[in-house]
């Protein structure tokens, strides 16, 4: 697989401005660079160009938490409120039952995936966000859980989250190009995200600083991500026991539509290979970090257009040795248990049966004008989602209608969970994120 040629061809065919990719195999490192970092300035991508890590930061947050566990300041099974007394959730006593582990493996149930306050995060969380499910009951990818983990680190250490990154993670990992703010990043080569149709630079570089621990602010290079990935192959910053704990499956959603979770990592099976991975979305950009222990390999990439995710997946599949994409087949099942309205923080999904298929209509319902500005800045414009049809490919498992089922990546699937005769499905999951049936 010639990554350089494929990246150039993909970016040309899809009008993606720029792309970076790196491979570290047994300590031997190579980096591929293509295109433009910022179309507004014409600045080229370089091998030392910085970019937002996005949610890859969640693995860094978990690494910092595991250091505190090793030092005896935290226990994964301890209650978060015992260390962070101000942690509450609206209309629910569930906060008192959330353990440190739940924050790191996406099973906390905190309903705050699209919650974007600029300040006073914990105070507003207590007033405005509740629970999707009891702690540990299900897996739902959680920005809120990781942000609370960042506040937990600050309470335990008495230091800011950014200071912990800058002093306790970046230097020992050899992440010499990493910074924690746009003000620092602007002093060096830095890529900005772009949105398609035609390609245009983002008008919002970072998410609010309140999102730092979930991936709102840290910025670095491909070499930095490769160095961080290498930490999770070679004991040093963390003990072998901590590395093994992060790699162990903590929760499995039981559906091919979502990956099981370790601690910090999502754990994918690509072909016959186990891959520790995390994707990092940012305004108009998308990064990925993958560690393949059995191959002693780290892969990292960034594209400054969200459509680069397809190329990330292609390269990762090739590196992991996957020769085929799973094949799905239409099935005839009773659709009635899945129809209804499902909700999570600021998101509503109306599901109905139309012509023997499920039709989903997703609506964004912003809490206030400021959060709407942040969300629309993140996605590049007003949220508009036409109704989408789905066909059953298994009990509680649906694929988008009209897509070729013999070459459909699993992350395109939608799954439904906790189905009963009385209420039907209690939860809908898309992209590993759950919404809960309204009225239950």
């Amino acid at each position: 697989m010639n990554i350089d040629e494929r990246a150039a061809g993909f970016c040309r065919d899809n009008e993606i401005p720029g792309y970076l990719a790196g491979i570290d195999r047994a300590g031997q490192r190579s980096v591929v660079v293509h295109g433009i970092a910022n179309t507004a300035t014409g600045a080229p991508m370089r091998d030392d160009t910085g970019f937002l890590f996005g949610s890859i930061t969640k693995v860094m947050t978990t690494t910092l938490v595991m250091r505190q566990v090793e030092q005896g300041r935290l226990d994964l099974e301890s209650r978060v409120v015992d260390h962070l007394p101000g942690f509450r959730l609206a209309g629910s006593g569930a906060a008192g039952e959330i353990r440190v582990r739940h924050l790191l493996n996406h099973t906390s149930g905190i309903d705050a995936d699209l919650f974007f306050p600029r300040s006073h995060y914990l105070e507003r969380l207590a007033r405005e966000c509740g629970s999707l499910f009891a702690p540990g009951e299900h897996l739902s990818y959680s920005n809120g859980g990781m942000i609370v983990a960042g506040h937990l680190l600050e309470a335990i250490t008495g230091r800011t989250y950014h200071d912990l990154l800058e002093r306790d993670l970046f230097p020992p990992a050899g992440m010499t190009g990493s910074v924690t703010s746009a003000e620092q990043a602007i002093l060096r080569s830095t890529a900005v995200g772009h949105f398609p149709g035609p390609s245009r630079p983002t008008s919002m570089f970072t998410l609010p600083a309140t999102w730092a621990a979930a991936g709102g602010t840290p910025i670095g290079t491909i070499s930095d991500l490769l160095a961080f990935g290498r930490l999770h192959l070679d004991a040093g910053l963390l003990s072998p026991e901590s590395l093994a704990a992060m790699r162990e499956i903590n929760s499995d959603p039981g559906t091919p539509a979502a990956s099981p979770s370790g601690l910090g990592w999502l754990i994918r099976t690509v072909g016959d290979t186990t891959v520790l991975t995390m994707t990092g979305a940012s305004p108009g950009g998308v990064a990925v970090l993958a560690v393949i222990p059995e191959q002693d390999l780290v892969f990292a990439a960034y594209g400054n257009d969200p459509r680069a995710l397809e190329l990330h997946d292609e390269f990762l599949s090739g590196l992991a040795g996957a020769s085929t994409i799973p094949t799905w087949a239409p099935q005839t099942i009773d659709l009635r248990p899945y129809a209804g309205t499902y909700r999570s923080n600021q998101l509503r999904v109306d599901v109905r049966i139309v012509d023997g298929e499920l039709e989903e209509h997703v609506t964004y319902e912003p809490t206030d004008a400021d959060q709407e500005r942040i969300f629309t800045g993140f996605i590049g414009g007003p949220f508009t989602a036409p109704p989408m049809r789905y066909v059953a490919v298994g009990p509680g498992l649906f694929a988008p209608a009209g897509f070729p089922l013999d070459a459909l990546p699993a992350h395109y699937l939608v799954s439904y969970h906790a189905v009963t005769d009385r209420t039907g499905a209690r939860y809908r999951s898309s992209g590993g994120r759950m919404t809960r049936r309204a009225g239950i």
Side-chain angles (χ1 to χ4, degrees), residues 86-251:
F87 171 49
R88 297 286 186 274
L89 294 173
S92 168
E97 299 305 317
I98 294 175
R99 311 289 167 163
V100 175
R101 180 184 299 276
H102 296 143
L103 301 178
L104 308 181
N105 65 15
H106 300 283
T107 64
S108 69
I110 297 171
D111 186 11
D113 200 48
L114 299 181
F115 187 53
F116 293 103
R118 295 183 187 273
S119 61
H120 306 292
Y121 189 91
L122 289 182
E123 292 88 339
R124 291 193 59 181
L125 189 73
R127 298 195 306 267
E128 301 175 41
C129 298
S131 296
L132 284 169
F133 48 78
E137 184 179 12
H138 296 288
L139 186 156
S140 183
Y141 185 88
S142 177
N143 289 308
M146 206 61 69
I147 292 169
V148 172
H151 282 275
L152 179 64
L153 281 166
E154 292 181 334
I156 291 292
T157 64
R159 295 160 56 196
T160 68
Y161 178 77
H162 281 166
D163 183 61
L164 290 166
L165 284 180
E166 292 167 348
R167 294 171 54 188
D168 293 3
L169 184 63
F170 292 165
M175 299 171 69
T176 58
S178 291
V179 296
T180 57
S181 73
E183 289 81 3
Q184 295 166 302
I186 202 171
L187 300 176
R188 59 193 71 185
S189 175
T190 302
V192 302
H194 295 72
F195 296 101
S199 182
R200 54 190 170 86
T202 179
S203 61
M204 182 180 74
F205 181 55
T206 64
L207 290 172
T210 55
W211 268 55
T217 57
I219 301 156
T221 67
I222 282 292
S223 292
D224 291 334
L225 283 186
L226 293 176
F228 177 69
R230 175 55 55 184
L231 280 181
H232 287 268
L233 289 171
D234 306 322
L237 186 64
L238 291 179
S239 69
E241 293 76 17
S242 292
L243 295 179
M246 290 181 67
R247 297 177 186 177
E248 181 182 355
I249 292 177
N250 274 229
S251 182

Side-chain angles (χ1 to χ4, degrees), residues 39-367:
T39 59
T41 65
M45 281 288 198
R46 307 184 334 195
D47 58 6
D48 64 347
T49 293
F51 52 87
L52 283 157
F53 292 151
S55 286
I56 296 169
T57 307
K58 291 179 172 68
V59 188
M60 300 175 189
T61 300
T62 303
T63 301
L64 290 169
V65 171
M66 294 304 291
R67 291 199 72 192
Q68 298 303 313
V69 171
E70 289 186 352
Q71 294 169 16
R73 294 180 175 179
L74 274 179
D75 188 295
L76 291 176
E77 309 309 326
S78 63
R79 300 191 315 158
V80 174
V81 293
D82 290 340
H83 303 283
L84 199 61
F87 171 49
R88 297 286 186 274
L89 294 173
S92 168
E97 299 305 317
I98 294 175
R99 311 289 167 163
V100 175
R101 180 184 299 276
H102 296 143
L103 301 178
L104 308 181
N105 65 15
H106 300 283
T107 64
S108 69
I110 297 171
D111 186 11
D113 200 48
L114 299 181
F115 187 53
F116 293 103
R118 295 183 187 273
S119 61
H120 306 292
Y121 189 91
L122 289 182
E123 292 88 339
R124 291 193 59 181
L125 189 73
R127 298 195 306 267
E128 301 175 41
C129 298
S131 296
L132 284 169
F133 48 78
E137 184 179 12
H138 296 288
L139 186 156
S140 183
Y141 185 88
S142 177
N143 289 308
M146 206 61 69
I147 292 169
V148 172
H151 282 275
L152 179 64
L153 281 166
E154 292 181 334
I156 291 292
T157 64
R159 295 160 56 196
T160 68
Y161 178 77
H162 281 166
D163 183 61
L164 290 166
L165 284 180
E166 292 167 348
R167 294 171 54 188
D168 293 3
L169 184 63
F170 292 165
M175 299 171 69
T176 58
S178 291
V179 296
T180 57
S181 73
E183 289 81 3
Q184 295 166 302
I186 202 171
L187 300 176
R188 59 193 71 185
S189 175
T190 302
V192 302
H194 295 72
F195 296 101
S199 182
R200 54 190 170 86
T202 179
S203 61
M204 182 180 74
F205 181 55
T206 64
L207 290 172
T210 55
W211 268 55
T217 57
I219 301 156
T221 67
I222 282 292
S223 292
D224 291 334
L225 283 186
L226 293 176
F228 177 69
R230 175 55 55 184
L231 280 181
H232 287 268
L233 289 171
D234 306 322
L237 186 64
L238 291 179
S239 69
E241 293 76 17
S242 292
L243 295 179
M246 290 181 67
R247 297 177 186 177
E248 181 182 355
I249 292 177
N250 274 229
S251 182
D252 190 336
T255 173
S259 298
S261 68
L263 297 177
W265 294 109
L266 297 180
I267 302 175
R268 293 176 58 186
T269 300
V270 181
D272 297 323
T273 304
T274 298
V275 179
L276 313 176
T277 186
M278 182 58 70
T279 299
S282 55
V286 61
V288 68
L289 176 65
V291 173
I292 307 179
E294 61 195 74
Q295 295 185 19
D296 196 18
L297 185 146
V298 182
F299 170 67
Y302 170 80
N304 57 356
D305 182 306
R307 294 171 297 173
L309 179 61
E310 181 181 338
L311 188 58
H312 296 345
D313 284 345
E314 179 183 324
F315 286 153
L316 182 55
S317 294
L319 290 167
S323 58
T324 60
I325 294 176
T327 297
W328 315 100
Q331 296 189 19
T332 301
I333 65 172
D334 183 2
L335 300 179
R336 290 174 296 178
Y338 311 107
T341 295
Y342 300 79
R343 306 188 81 148
S344 60
N345 180 265
Q346 303 181 69
L347 197 68
R348 171 180 175 144
V349 184
D350 293 296
V351 182
R352 61 178 186 151
I353 302 169
V354 180
D355 299 331
E357 299 174 345
L358 287 187
E359 182 179 270
E360 296 189 348
H361 187 197
V362 181
T363 306
Y364 172 55
E365 300 178 323
T367 298

